Amino acid sequence: MKCLKFLLRKEIIQFRRNKFLPRLIFAFPILIMLIAPIVANMEVRGVNVAFVDCDHSAISRRVLSHLNASKHFMVKQVTADYLLAYGLLEAGRVDVIVSMPEGFEKSIMGGIVPKIKVDANAINATKGMLGSQYIMMTIASALSEVAAENGLSMSADSDPASVRYFYNETLDYRFYMIPAFIIILIQLVCCFIPALNLVLEKEKGTIEQINVTPVSRLEFTLSKLIPYWIIGLVVLTEGILTVGLVYGLWPVGSTGAIYLAAILFTFAMSGFAVTIANGSDTMQQSIFVLFFFVMIFMLMSGMLTPLGSMPRWAQWITVVFPPRYFIAILRAVYLKGTTVLELGVDYLALAGFAVVFCMVAALTYCKQE
Amino acid sequence: MQIRLSAFIRKEMLHILRDKRTMLVVLVIPVMLILLFGFTVTTDVNNINVAVCAPNRCHAVSESVNRLVFSSYFRFKGYVDAADIDMTLRTGKAAAVVVFAADYATSGLFQLILDGADVNTASTSQAYLQHVILGEKARQSLFEMHQLYNPQMKSAFNFVPGIMGMIFLLICAMMTSVSIVKEKEVGTMEVLLVSPVKPAYIIISKMVPYLLLSCIDLATILLLARFVLDVPLAGGVWGIVGISVLYLVLSLALGMMVSNMARSQIVALLISAMVMMMPVLFFSGLMFPIENLPWALRWISYVIPARWYIDAMRKLMIEGVAFIGVMLEFGILLGQTLLLIAVSTKKFNDRLE
C-alpha cells in the first residue's frame, strides 16, 4: 500500500493544475445552493382566473372581490359567457374558470343550492389541484362571511378533525427540497469527474505506464476514489454552509450522522462511476452511460418526486439505488433529527454499496489489454 | 463545393458508424429514459403509510380504520401507542398518524399528525385522509370540480414533454461537445485546418450525422409516447416533428459552441452534462413552476431553450393547440438556433495556438 501515497499525490497535483476543475468544485455548488431554495418554491401563486357570473348577485360580487384580494389569483376576465371563458382557458390565458350558476343567491336562502363549477387546466397537475383547492377555500370563506352577516349558518359546523404537521409546521417546500439538491450536487461531482479522469488516462495512454508498474489494482482504484471522496465532502460542506448562512436552515440532527452517510455515499457513487469508466473506451461513452444512471437516480430515488407514487415494480428497482438511502437519511437527519441507530438499515445499505462498488471497480480494472 | 461538403459529412458518418458502441449507447439511452420516466415519474401521492393511535378501539374506530385499509391511497401500518407517535414519524415508518379521541364514537373527534418534512405527501394526504375517515359523513360539497385535458390527474402527461426537453438538450449537446475539441486533442485538427474547407462546412458536416441519429431517437420516442404511454399528440404530428427537429439542431449547435470554446474534452463534457443540467432542471418548468420565480431569475429562464420547447410541446402534445398557437415559441427557438450557429462559426479558430 505504500504506492498509494504517491498515486494520491499525483491525483491531487493533477487536480490542482487543472484550471477548470477547482473553480467548478468551489463555485458551482455555492451558486446552485443559492438559487435552489428560490426555485423550489412550489407555492401556487398567480393562478389566472376567469370568473363567469351568471348570477349577478351580491353574493357573486362578494366572491369576486375575495378572489381579487387573494395573492394566489389574478382575475383576468369577468363575463357571463362561459364559452368565452373556455376559449381563454384553451388559449392558455387563464388556468381556472369559476362559474357562479344562475339563481345561486336565491336558492341559498332555501332550497337546493346549485353547484359552483370550478374548471381547472390540469396539464400541470400540481397547479391544477392546488389552484382549485385554494379557489374552493377562498369561495367558502366568502360564503361563510355572507352567511354570518345574514345570521344564517351555512354548513358551518365545526370541523371534527384537527391537523398538526410535525417537523415542518409551515409546510415550507424549500426545506423538503434542500437535501435533494445537496445530493444531486454530490452525485454529479462524484460520478462524472472520477469517470472522466480515468478514461482520460486511457485516451491519453498514460494508463499504460501504470499497467507496467507493480501498482496493484486496488491501490490504483483507491487512488482514483479517495480524492473524490474528499471533494464530495467539500461539496456537502459548501451546501450546508450556504443554505445555513443564507436561508437559516441548519440540520436538526447531528452533523456527524450526515457526514458518515456522505462518506459512504461518495464512496459508493465514485466506485460505481469508476466501474463504468473501466468498461468504456472513450470519455463520451462513459459520460453517456453515467448520464443515463444519473438521470434515473435523480428522478426515481425519491429526491424530486415521492417514492410511494411510483408503481410497485419501479419501487422494487430502486432498492439497488444508493441515492434512495442517502436521501432518506439526509431528509430525516436534516429535518427531523433522526439518529444513526434509528436509520440503521439505511446506513447498512449504503455501507454495503460502498464496499461492493469499490471491489467491483478494482476487479473490473484490467491491466492486460 | 457541394462535393467537398458531402465528402466531409461522409467522413463524420463513418466515424460514428464505426464506433458501434457509442452509437448503440446514443440510440438506446434516450428511449429507455423516456419509457422509464413515462411510467414512473409522477407527483401524485398514493400508497401513503398511515398508522393509527386509538386508546379506545370501539366499533366506530374500526369502521373508520376499515375504510382506510381498503382505500387505494393508503397502506395501513398498524396501531401505535401515543408515546410512540413521534418515533413512528421520525423513523419514517409512517407518513401520518391518525389519533382517535377516546370518545370518538360519540364526539367524532380525531386528530391527524403528519410528517411535514415531506411536504407533498403531507399536504395532499391530509385532505384524502379526512375524506376517507369521515366516509359519508364528509360534508356535502358546494362545488363541482372538473379537471380539464388531464382528467385522471396523471402527471405522467405533464412529464413526457418536460423530460423530452431535458434529455434532447443534454444528449445532443453531449454528442457534439466533444467533436471539435477531440480533433484538437488527438491532433487531427491540424490536418483539417490546412485543407481548403470553410469553418462553416466543418461545423455543418459535424452536425449532420448527429442530427440523423437524434432524428431516429425522436421518431422512436414519439412512437413510444403515442402507443405505449398514450400521450395524445393532439396538436398534429407534423407540428410536433417540426419544432422537435428545430430543437435538436439547436441543441447540437449548443454543444458545438461548447466544443469551440472548451480547451479539453473533460471541460466540454462537464459543461454539457453537469453544468447545463442544473439550469435546465431549474428554469425549464419541468419540475418547478416558472411563475413563482422572482423577475431576475425569470429572465434567466427566458434564455433557456428547454423552457420554450417544453411549453410548446405541452401545448402540441397534450392541449391539442394547432401549430399556429406555438409560433412565438417556434420563433424564439429559431432565433436562438441561428444565434448559436453564428456564434460557433465565429468562435471557430482556424489557427492552432
Side-chain angles (χ1 to χ4, degrees), chain A residues 41 43 89 116 118-120 123 127 129 162 164 166-168 176 203 279 284-285 308-309 336 338 342, chain B residues 21-22 42 44 47 86 89-90 110 112 114-117 124 142 144 146 148 158 175 265 291-292 318:
Chain A
N41 174 4
E43 189 189 351
L89 186 84
I116 299 170
V118 178
D119 300 301
I123 292 293
K127 198 174 174 186
M129 197 168 83
S162 62
R164 273 192 67 195
F166 273 24
Y167 317 118
N168 180 5
Y176 172 65
E203 284 200 12
Q284 201 181 17
Q285 246 176 42
S309 67
K336 306 191 232 175
T338 316
E342 285 169 325
Chain B
R21 237 166 122 186
T22 308
T42 61
D44 311 342
N47 301 328
D86 181 53
L89 292 176
R90 206 144 43 85
F110 62 93
L112 303 177
L114 298 126
D115 176 0
T124 12
L142 263 177
E144 183 188 332
H146 291 283
L148 300 173
N158 191 37
M175 287 197 236
Q265 282 194 73
E291 310 90 65
N292 285 356
I318 301 168

Side-chain angles (χ1 to χ4, degrees), chain A residues 189-211:
Chain A
V189 169
C190 291
C191 270
F192 286 142
I193 304 182
L196 284 175
N197 180 305
L198 189 89
V199 187
L200 179 70
E201 297 230 27
K202 281 193 188 177
E203 284 200 12
K204 283 216 164 136
T206 46
I207 205 162
E208 303 273 303
Q209 290 163 7
I210 301 284
N211 285 347

Side-chain angles (χ1 to χ4, degrees), chain A residues 47 52 88 149 169 214 217 290 311-312 332-333 339 358:
Chain A
V47 176
V52 181
L88 289 175
E149 283 164 17
E169 271 149 44
R217 296 199 285 186
L290 278 175
R312 205 48 84 79
V333 177
T339 59
C358 286

Side-chain angles (χ1 to χ4, degrees), chain A residues 306-347:
Chain A
L307 260 189
S309 67
M310 296 194 296
R312 205 48 84 79
W313 58 266
Q315 291 186 37
W316 274 109
I317 299 180
T318 63
V319 170
V320 295
F321 295 172
R324 175 200 159 140
Y325 303 97
F326 192 32
I327 184 72
I329 292 174
L330 202 57
R331 254 189 206 135
V333 177
Y334 227 102
L335 303 172
K336 306 191 232 175
T338 316
T339 59
V340 178
L341 278 182
E342 285 169 325
L343 292 164
V345 183
D346 297 294
Y347 276 95

Side-chain angles (χ1 to χ4, degrees), chain B residues 91-310:
Chain B
T91 52
K93 274 194 201 108
V97 178
V98 186
V99 185
F100 289 100
D103 57 348
Y104 178 66
T106 51
S107 68
L109 289 176
F110 62 93
Q111 187 181 30
L112 303 177
I113 300 179
L114 298 126
D115 176 0
D118 186 347
V119 178
N120 256 336
T121 312
S123 57
T124 12
S125 57
Q126 183 247 13
Y128 289 157
L129 260 177
Q130 268 183 11
H131 199 78
V132 170
I133 289 169
L134 286 173
E136 64 265 32
K137 273 181 284 171
R139 201 187 295 151
Q140 193 64 46
S141 175
L142 263 177
F143 302 99
E144 183 188 332
M145 277 284 308
H146 291 283
Q147 302 288 346
L148 300 173
Y149 301 131
N150 189 357
Q152 299 106 37
M153 297 283 284
K154 271 196 173 164
S155 5
F157 273 46
N158 191 37
F159 276 110
V160 170
I163 289 171
M164 281 173 74
M166 181 163 185
I167 290 178
F168 281 148
L169 187 77
L170 296 174
I171 292 254
C172 291
M174 277 151 60
M175 287 197 236
T176 42
S177 68
V178 289
S179 56
I180 287 178
V181 76
K182 188 168 189 175
E183 301 239 21
K184 280 188 208 160
E185 275 194 356
V186 179
T188 45
M189 196 62 183
E190 216 155 339
V191 184
L192 271 185
L193 288 183
V194 293
S195 68
V197 204
K198 287 186 193 159
Y201 282 32
I202 295 184
I203 286 176
I204 292 172
S205 65
K206 287 204 173 281
M207 279 170 63
V208 169
Y210 283 118
L211 183 62
L212 292 180
L213 268 187
S214 38
C215 282
I216 300 176
D217 278 333
L218 174 69
T220 331
I221 286 171
L222 286 181
L223 286 174
L224 285 175
R226 178 69 193 84
F227 295 107
V228 181
L229 298 173
D230 289 328
V231 182
L233 305 190
V237 175
W238 292 114
I240 294 176
V241 171
I243 200 160
S244 299
V245 172
L246 176 67
Y247 186 64
L248 293 177
V249 175
L250 180 146
S251 315
L252 292 170
L254 184 65
M256 210 52 143
M257 195 181 75
V258 172
S259 196
N260 273 321
M261 305 219 235
R263 279 158 187 277
S264 63
Q265 282 194 73
I266 279 208
V267 175
L269 282 170
L270 280 180
I271 288 179
S272 55
M274 180 168 144
V275 178
M276 271 169 24
M277 182 186 281
M278 297 316 274
V280 172
L281 183 68
F282 281 176
F283 300 119
S284 66
L286 161 72
M287 278 275 159
F288 309 106
I290 300 171
E291 310 90 65
N292 285 356
L293 295 176
W295 63 268
L297 293 182
R298 205 172 318 162
W299 272 101
I300 300 181
S301 82
Y302 292 146
V303 185
I304 309 282
R307 180 227 151 117
W308 302 106
Y309 177 69
I310 292 173

